[in-house]
Amino acid sequence: MKPRRTVLSVPGQVEKMHDKALNSGSDAIMLDLEDSVPVDMKVDARGRIIQSLLSRDWGRKTVLFRMNGLDTPFGYRDLLEVVEAAGPVIDAIVIPKINHPGDVHFVSRMLDGIELNKGWTQRIGIEASIETAVGLEAVSEIARASDRIQTLVFGVADYSASIGARLVSLSGHGEKETEIYPGHRWHFAMSRMVMAAKANGLQAIDAPYGNFKDPEGLKQAAAMACALGYDGKWAIHPDQIDIINQTFSPSPEDIERARKVLDAHHQATIQGLGAVAVEGRMVDQATVRLAGLLWEQARHLGLI
Ligand code: COA
Ligand code: MG
C-alpha cells in the first residue's frame, strides 16, 4: 500500500491550494468537498476538483477526495460526478462520518457500477472516516464492510461533538488534550479504531492538529498517534507536513536498532536459541517481529 504518513486536506474551492498541495511533500492529497467547503460553494468546488484532477499530473501522490456525507443533498452527486469524470486518477474516496457498514456498501456498489460502465480495471479504494459514537461502536463491521477499504481515519473534532465532549481549544482539533484529562483524552477511541484497522489489514490515520502555528504541539500529537500504532496523520496546512512525515518515518536510530535485533536473531537461530540478550535487553520473537516491521517500513519509504 502507498505510504500515507501525511494526508494534506485541501479545500476543493480554493484552486491555488491544489497546486500548492501538488508541489508539497505530502504523501497523499485529499481534495475536500465536505467541511472546508461552504454549502453554497459545494457544486462549484466539485467542478474545480474534477478540473484539477484531469489537468494536473499527480505523479506519485496518493490522490483522494472527500465526498459529502450520504445524508446530505451533495454526497451521492459528488460520488457520481467526480468518479465518472476522473476515476482513473483517484486512489481512494474518503467517506465522512460513517455510522454503519451500509454507508460503505452503498459507495462500493456505486463504484462497481461506474467501473463496469467505464470498463476500468483499476479499483478505487475507500477511506472510512470514524468520527461519531455510532461509527466507533460499529468500527469492526465497518472495517470489514468492503475489500475496497484501505484505511480508517479518526476524526477527533466531529467525534468530540458526537459524544458531547468539551471544546477546549479554538479549533477542537487535538489541542490541550492532556491538560484536562489524566493521560490522553482520546486514548480509548484511538486505540479502539486502530485495533479494528489492524485486525483487517488496514492503515490507521489520525485526524489533523488544528493549530498550524504550534509545531511542538503537533509533534507531540503525531508522536502519540504513532506510538498507538497509527500510520499517518492528516495535515491542514503545508507547514505541518515535514513534522508529520518525520514523526511517521523510522529515524536512523530506529533503523540501526532494528538491524541489531535482526542480526542478533540471525546469530541466535544459527545457535539454536530463541531469546538472546542484546546490550543488556531481552530480544525474543516478538521483538524480532517489531524490528522486521520497522525494517519493511523503512524499505518501503526508500530509507534503506
Ligand atoms: N493546502 C494547500 N495549500 C495551503 C493549505 C492547504 N490546506 N493551507 C494553506 N495553504 C497555502 C496558502 O494558500 C498559502 O499559499 P501562498 O503562500 O502561495 O499564498 C500558504 O499555504 C500559507 O498559508 P497561510 O497564509 O499561512 O494560511 P491561510 O490563512 O491562507 O489558510 C487555513 C489557513 C486554515 C484557512 C488553511 O490552511 C486551510 O484552509 N486549511 C485546510 C482546511 C481543511 O481542509 N479543513 C478540513 C480538514 S478536516
Ligand atoms: Mg469531520
Side-chain angles (χ1 to χ4, degrees):
M1 213 183 289
K2 286 179 170 177
R4 281 176 169 86
R5 294 167 303 175
T6 30
V7 178
L8 179 62
S9 174
V10 188
Q13 75 282 16
V14 191
E15 227 171 304
K16 72 165 194 161
M17 288 191 186
H18 299 193
D19 287 314
K20 190 99 179 171
L22 178 59
N23 296 317
S24 75
S26 187
D27 289 338
I29 308 297
M30 185 196 75
L31 300 170
D32 187 28
L33 288 172
E34 203 221 11
D35 279 356
S36 67
V37 180
V39 168
D40 60 356
M41 296 198 76
K42 296 284 188 193
V43 175
D44 175 73
R46 196 189 286 145
R48 283 176 200 273
I49 284 185
I50 292 172
Q51 184 57 26
S52 280
L53 290 173
L54 294 177
S55 62
R56 290 160 173 78
D57 176 5
W58 293 88
R60 285 166 49 86
K61 296 279 186 221
T62 300
V63 178
L64 319 168
F65 84 90
R66 179 165 66 171
M67 59 185 281
N68 286 283
L70 290 165
D71 55 351
T72 71
F74 309 106
Y76 82 101
R77 294 213 74 86
D78 293 341
L79 185 58
L80 190 67
E81 292 184 22
V82 180
V83 175
E84 277 203 336
V89 189
I90 299 163
D91 288 289
I93 298 169
V94 180
I95 315 176
K97 302 181 183 69
I98 296 194
N99 282 336
H100 188 270
D103 296 344
V104 179
H105 294 153
F106 176 83
V107 172
S108 183
R109 294 303 273 164
M110 280 280 286
L111 290 174
D112 287 347
I114 299 172
E115 287 165 354
L116 281 169
N117 180 266
K118 298 280 185 185
W120 294 332
T121 47
Q122 198 184 319
R123 296 178 90 223
I124 295 172
I126 290 174
E127 302 215 345
S129 210
I130 304 298
E131 38 188 344
T132 63
V134 180
L136 191 63
E137 210 172 35
V139 67
S140 295
E141 295 108 89
I142 291 169
R144 285 193 289 269
S146 164
D147 63 359
R148 289 184 187 271
I149 300 188
Q150 300 173 345
T151 70
L152 300 184
V153 182
F154 179 65
V156 68
D158 277 306
Y159 183 73
S160 310
S162 131
I163 62 167
R166 261 186 58 209
L167 178 70
V168 291
S169 67
L170 252 180
S171 89
H173 282 84
E175 283 173 76
K176 298 187 176 173
E177 307 295 11
T178 49
E179 286 177 21
I180 66 157
Y181 185 81
H184 189 280
R185 219 168 29 139
W186 307 116
H187 179 268
F188 169 73
M190 290 178 69
S191 291
R192 180 67 194 86
M193 195 201 83
V194 88
M195 183 170 86
K198 299 305 165 89
N200 290 283
L202 309 176
Q203 289 177 328
I205 311 292
D206 190 22
Y209 185 75
N211 184 351
F212 56 88
K213 304 262 185 220
D214 175 16
E216 278 311 312
L218 170 66
K219 204 185 274 183
Q220 198 190 17
M224 268 193 279
C226 187
L228 288 175
Y230 279 65
D231 301 284
K233 186 168 173 66
W234 281 11
I236 40 101
H237 190 283
D239 286 355
Q240 298 184 317
I241 294 168
D242 285 350
I243 289 175
I244 300 177
N245 275 345
Q246 219 167 51
T247 309
F248 286 94
S249 303
S251 67
E253 296 77 42
D254 294 334
I255 295 171
E256 180 53 20
R257 199 181 306 118
R259 192 188 57 74
K260 274 188 195 158
V261 170
L262 295 172
D263 283 353
H265 171 65
H266 182 65
Q267 291 306 322
T269 309
I270 293 170
Q271 294 162 27
L273 297 170
V276 286
V278 179
E279 296 176 2
R281 272 80 159 193
M282 184 272 290
V283 166
D284 68 359
Q285 300 296 327
T287 326
V288 172
R289 278 191 286 276
L290 275 168
L293 205 64
L294 191 127
W295 193 260
E296 273 316 302
Q297 197 188 3
R299 195 202 303 280
H300 195 57
L301 293 169
L303 300 174
I304 47 175

